[in-house]
Amino acid sequence: MRNRGTVRFYWSFRSPYAWFAVHRVEAMLRGLPVELHWIPVFPPPDMSNNPTNVPAKIRYIWEDSQRFADAYGLEFKTPEQVDTDWLRPHTAFLYAEAAGRGPDFAKEAFAARFSRGEDLASDPVLARVASQVGLASDRLISAADDSEFRERLGQGFAAAAGDAIFGVPTFIYRDQMFFGNDRLEWLVKAIEP
């Protein structure tokens, strides 16, 4: 099957909705003539629409996440910390991706955050996730603070700005934006011949 393009997949370890999309995206795109390009991003600390500043909204997100997790057969546990040092797990993902283990790392890291409620920026959690996907823990932890991977993360933010995304998960295919886990079906319809 001839490749008809790339799907740019913007996601963040901060978002339970990105977790649900990660859980589904590869299976939904399997066999379609596209390449999935994973681009980690996360909101800046001064984000104007930060749900953690609105207690009712964050409560709703956790309740809604439980409903989605139940529907997908996933364990859900509210994270002990809503926010952390987001640079570390996202740059660790870029290291894992360079080692050919990016999607596996993302799935295990999301499970650590949303199935076990763990802090993804902590060395013990990153080390455990690295081991679970066959990566050297010490190298991944070092990469979490590496300037080269942080620069690559910045390139993802520049791409996100260029695509004018406003949240995650977002999928871009042939200049069409599909925002949200619940838009994966529409993305598939846009790709299908």
Side-chain angles (χ1 to χ4, degrees):
M1 187 176 291
R2 196 171 138 250
N3 187 312
R4 291 186 21 214
T6 299
V7 172
R8 293 185 301 281
F9 173 30
Y10 294 99
W11 58 275
S12 173
F13 286 126
R14 188 176 191 257
S15 168
Y17 300 107
W19 173 42
F20 302 130
V22 163
H23 176 72
R24 299 181 338 128
V25 67
E26 289 179 315
M28 292 193 71
L29 297 184
R30 189 171 294 120
L32 294 177
V34 292
E35 179 182 324
L36 185 63
H37 183 197
W38 295 63
I39 307 172
V41 295
F42 51 90
D46 59 350
M47 180 177 88
S48 61
N49 189 28
N50 189 340
T52 62
N53 295 332
V54 183
K57 186 173 184 178
I58 196 69
R59 250 191 331 273
Y60 174 80
I61 289 171
W62 296 145
E63 291 170 7
D64 197 40
S65 295
Q66 184 64 64
R67 286 189 288 265
F68 271 101
D70 290 346
Y72 296 158
L74 299 169
E75 288 292 321
F76 176 74
K77 181 177 180 186
T78 303
E80 293 172 13
Q81 291 181 223
V82 174
D83 280 314
T84 192
D85 177 358
W86 292 116
L87 283 169
R88 300 194 81 229
H90 291 91
T91 54
F93 165 81
L94 292 173
Y95 168 80
E97 183 180 51
R101 306 295 296 173
D104 294 331
F105 176 84
K107 290 171 194 167
E108 287 298 326
F110 269 118
R113 174 155 167 78
F114 291 116
S115 291
R116 297 187 294 277
E118 298 172 341
D119 178 4
L120 282 184
S122 75
D123 284 352
V125 173
L126 287 173
R128 192 167 43 257
V129 171
S131 294
Q132 289 171 327
V133 299
L135 294 171
S137 299
D138 57 338
R139 289 185 181 169
L140 183 124
I141 289 169
S142 177
D145 299 309
D146 184 271
S147 60
E148 178 186 334
F149 287 107
R150 289 192 174 193
E151 183 178 320
R152 287 185 50 206
L153 187 61
Q155 293 167 4
F157 280 99
D163 280 332
I165 75 158
F166 48 82
V168 295
T170 295
F171 306 90
I172 306 290
Y173 174 67
R174 292 188 169 176
D175 297 323
Q176 295 178 70
M177 179 184 290
F178 301 88
F179 170 64
N181 170 54
D182 58 344
R183 297 305 191 271
L184 266 170
E185 286 78 5
W186 295 5
L187 170 65
V188 168
K189 287 180 183 178
I191 296 167
E192 287 176 335

